[in-house]
């Protein structure tokens, strides 16, 4: 055998020996691990069989008045919006407002040339003075005729004619007074006043233009923002609970909330409920009115609406974290005096901040588990966080 052949045989033998050693070592290690795992499993089973306490955090059930609310998306609308138009014809002389200005009810907005209406008023006053003088003269003549008829010195026919003449002048005086009132009204209409308090928009007509009575374009629009309204819709299923209260005149509280941060923008009351259901959406339209002195609500703004329909008096409330949901419904773990838990089915009601109302299943003086629920089962022994150990208590 050559030298190279002998070296090759030696290398093969050494490799085989190393491989055999690794196999034997692996079997020994696996056997040791299996034995250790078996001992660990028996130890875990023994600990479980001893009913080792599970650490949990608990909360206390209590009582509180819980509002029953409905939520919806609402749109802010002006409580009133008016397009100011002229009621008499004439040239627009002056405008006494600036665009975007807040005006008060009755404030002078514009002046139409009053001279034609003043002249008409003066004419009617002159006619009245003339007819009043003729009436006075006719009345004096009537008194004289009555004395003459009493002395049988005048024919009764002339007396009757004079009575009719007095009536004629009385009618003329009344007509003149009515014409004067109409002329005064037209003169008043030449001064255009704000019909409500609010903000004016863009001026639609400049001074110098001729305005015609009944022109629908108008001079300017005024939008009332205090008070202001919010319209929103609710499903038709809410009608049964809402309608009786609204018909009885109850002012149901409504809160407008910001869409981004949920902050309270304004508090108001429900004032209107639609007289029909929208068949395309199956919803009911409602309107609430809010005081808005700080202008936190603005026309066409989107807000969240919370409508309070009722209040659960002295209801049982628990931390929301205590209520769990399963295929059988909602449940909580109640901690007994012996620090064992009982799984109890409950009926959850409306929320009150971070607490939930419980309408069935709990009394108001029980402890409920709020953390560590995942490891619990009915009857499990627990240790409450922060409470002394059982040995220490003994």
């Amino acid at each position: 055998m050559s030298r190279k052949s002998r070296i090759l045989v030696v290398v093969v033998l050494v490799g085989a020996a190393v491989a055999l050693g690794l196999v034997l070592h692996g079997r020994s290690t696996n056997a040791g691990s299996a034995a250790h795992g078996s001992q660990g499993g028996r130890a875990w089973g023994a600990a479980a069989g001893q009913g080792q306490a599970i650490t949990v955090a608990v909360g206390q059930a209590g009582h509180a008045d819980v509002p029953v609310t409905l939520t919806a998306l609402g749109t802010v609308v002006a409580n009133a919006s008016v397009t100011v138009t002229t009621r008499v014809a004439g040239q627009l002389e002056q405008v006494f407002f600036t665009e975007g200005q807040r005006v008060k009810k009755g404030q002078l907005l514009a002046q139409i040339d009053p001279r034609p209406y003043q002249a008409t008023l003066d004419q009617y006053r002159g006619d009245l003075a003339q007819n009043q003088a003729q009436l006075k003269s006719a009345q004096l003549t009537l008194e004289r005729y009555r004395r003459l008829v009493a002395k049988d010195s005048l024919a009764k026919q002339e007396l009757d004619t004079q009575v009719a003449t007095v009536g004629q002048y009385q009618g003329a005086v009344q007509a003149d007074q009515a014409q004067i009132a109409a002329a005064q009204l037209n003169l008043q209409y030449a001064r255009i006043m704000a019909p409500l308090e609010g903000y004016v928009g863009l001026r639609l007509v400049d001074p110098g233009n001729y305005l015609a009575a009944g022109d629908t374009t108008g001079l300017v629009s005024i939008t009332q923002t205090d008070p202001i309204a919010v319209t929103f819709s609710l499903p038709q299923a809410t009608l049964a609970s809402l309608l009786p209260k609204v018909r009885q005149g109850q002012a149901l509280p409504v809160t407008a909330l910001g869409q981004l941060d949920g902050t309270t923008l304004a508090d108001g009351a429900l004032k209107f409920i639609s007289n029909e259901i929208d068949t395309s959406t199956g919803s009911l339209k409602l309107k609430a009115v809010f005081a808005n002195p700080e202008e936190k609500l603005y026309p066409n703004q989107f807000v969240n609406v919370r409508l309070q329909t009722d209040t659960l008096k002295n209801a049982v409330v628990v931390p929301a974290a205590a209520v769990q949901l399963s295929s059988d419904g909602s449940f909580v773990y109640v901690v007994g005096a012996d620090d064992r838990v009982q799984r109890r089915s409950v009926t959850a009601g409306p929320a009150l901040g971070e607490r939930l109302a419980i309408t069935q299943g709990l009394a108001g003086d029980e402890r409920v588990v709020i953390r560590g629920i995942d490891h619990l089962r009915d009857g499990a022994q627990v240790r409450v966080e922060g409470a002394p150990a059982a040995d220490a208590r003994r």
Side-chain angles (χ1 to χ4, degrees):
M1 182 179 296
S2 65
R3 179 182 178 84
K4 290 184 178 179
S5 299
R6 287 197 299 270
I7 294 174
L8 180 59
V9 170
V10 171
V11 171
V12 172
L13 291 175
V14 171
V18 171
L20 179 60
L22 291 175
V23 170
L24 293 176
H25 177 73
R27 289 180 178 178
S28 175
T29 303
N30 290 338
S33 298
H36 177 74
S38 176
Q39 292 174 1
R42 287 194 295 271
W44 181 87
Q50 293 173 1
Q52 186 176 0
I54 302 172
T55 301
V56 296
V58 300
Q60 186 71 36
H63 290 87
D65 292 341
V66 181
V68 180
T69 59
L70 299 171
T71 58
L73 177 64
T75 304
V76 181
V77 296
N79 192 45
S81 182
V82 176
T83 299
V84 180
T85 59
T86 177
R87 302 180 69 173
V88 295
Q91 185 180 27
L92 181 62
E93 284 192 337
Q94 287 181 285
V95 173
F96 300 99
F97 65 88
T98 57
E99 295 171 330
Q101 176 186 347
R102 184 178 182 87
V103 296
K104 296 184 178 298
K105 183 178 181 179
Q107 181 175 332
L108 179 63
L109 299 179
Q111 175 70 62
I112 293 178
D113 185 4
R115 291 174 296 178
Y117 301 103
Q118 183 64 54
T120 301
L121 176 61
D122 294 340
Q123 177 184 349
Y124 289 151
R125 284 173 174 169
D127 293 342
L128 175 62
Q130 179 181 355
N131 288 327
Q132 284 177 333
Q134 290 176 336
L135 174 61
K136 184 65 176 178
S137 176
Q139 288 173 335
L140 293 174
T141 302
L142 177 61
E143 290 298 325
R144 185 170 65 254
Y145 281 6
R146 283 174 176 167
R147 291 195 297 270
L148 293 175
V149 169
K151 297 177 181 180
D152 201 17
S153 300
L154 186 68
K156 178 108 176 18
Q157 181 179 359
E158 293 189 18
L159 176 62
D160 294 339
T161 302
Q162 190 62 27
V163 169
T165 301
V166 170
Q168 178 181 354
Y169 287 129
Q170 287 176 336
V173 168
Q174 292 177 351
D176 291 338
Q177 290 173 339
Q179 289 176 326
I180 288 174
Q184 288 175 331
L185 191 60
N186 287 335
L187 191 60
Q188 182 180 348
Y189 287 156
R191 293 170 55 87
I192 301 177
M193 305 290 188
L196 52 80
E197 182 175 354
Y199 287 96
V200 297
L202 297 176
R203 187 176 68 244
L204 304 177
V205 180
D206 295 325
N209 285 282
Y210 182 85
L211 301 180
D215 186 3
T216 58
T217 301
L219 175 66
V220 71
S221 64
I222 302 178
T223 300
Q224 187 183 57
T225 59
D226 184 21
I228 202 165
V230 174
T231 60
F232 57 99
S233 298
L234 290 173
Q236 63 181 10
T238 61
L239 181 62
S241 62
L242 287 175
L243 190 59
K245 296 181 176 65
V246 174
R247 293 291 185 258
Q248 293 169 9
Q250 295 186 29
L252 299 179
V254 182
T255 303
L257 307 171
Q259 276 201 303
L260 297 180
D261 52 9
T263 56
T264 299
L265 301 178
D267 293 312
L270 183 65
K271 292 296 183 183
F272 166 81
I273 184 169
S274 178
N275 58 359
E276 61 181 7
I277 295 173
D278 187 345
T279 56
S280 61
T281 61
S283 61
L284 194 65
K285 194 167 186 178
L286 303 96
K287 180 179 179 181
V289 177
F290 299 81
N292 192 37
E294 298 179 1
E295 298 184 12
K296 291 184 178 180
L297 300 178
Y298 207 76
N300 296 332
Q301 175 185 0
F302 290 109
V303 295
N304 292 324
V305 177
R306 186 171 62 212
L307 169 64
Q308 181 177 339
T309 61
D310 204 351
T311 301
L312 299 179
K313 296 291 186 180
N314 201 32
V316 177
V317 292
V318 297
V323 181
Q324 304 297 308
L325 185 62
S326 70
S327 58
D328 299 331
S330 299
F331 69 93
V332 297
Y333 280 110
V334 179
V335 181
D338 58 354
D339 285 347
R340 290 188 178 275
V341 295
Q342 176 191 6
R343 175 172 167 155
R344 193 178 300 176
S345 297
V346 296
T347 301
L352 180 63
E354 296 183 354
R355 296 181 294 170
L356 277 179
I358 302 298
T359 58
Q360 288 183 350
L362 278 183
D365 55 353
E366 296 176 295
R367 295 180 300 167
V368 293
V369 179
I370 60 174
R371 190 168 61 248
I373 299 175
D374 295 341
H375 306 291
L376 294 181
R377 65 184 185 279
D378 196 16
Q381 184 74 40
V382 297
R383 186 179 70 82
V384 178
E385 289 183 2
D391 293 340
R393 291 199 300 269
R394 288 196 294 269

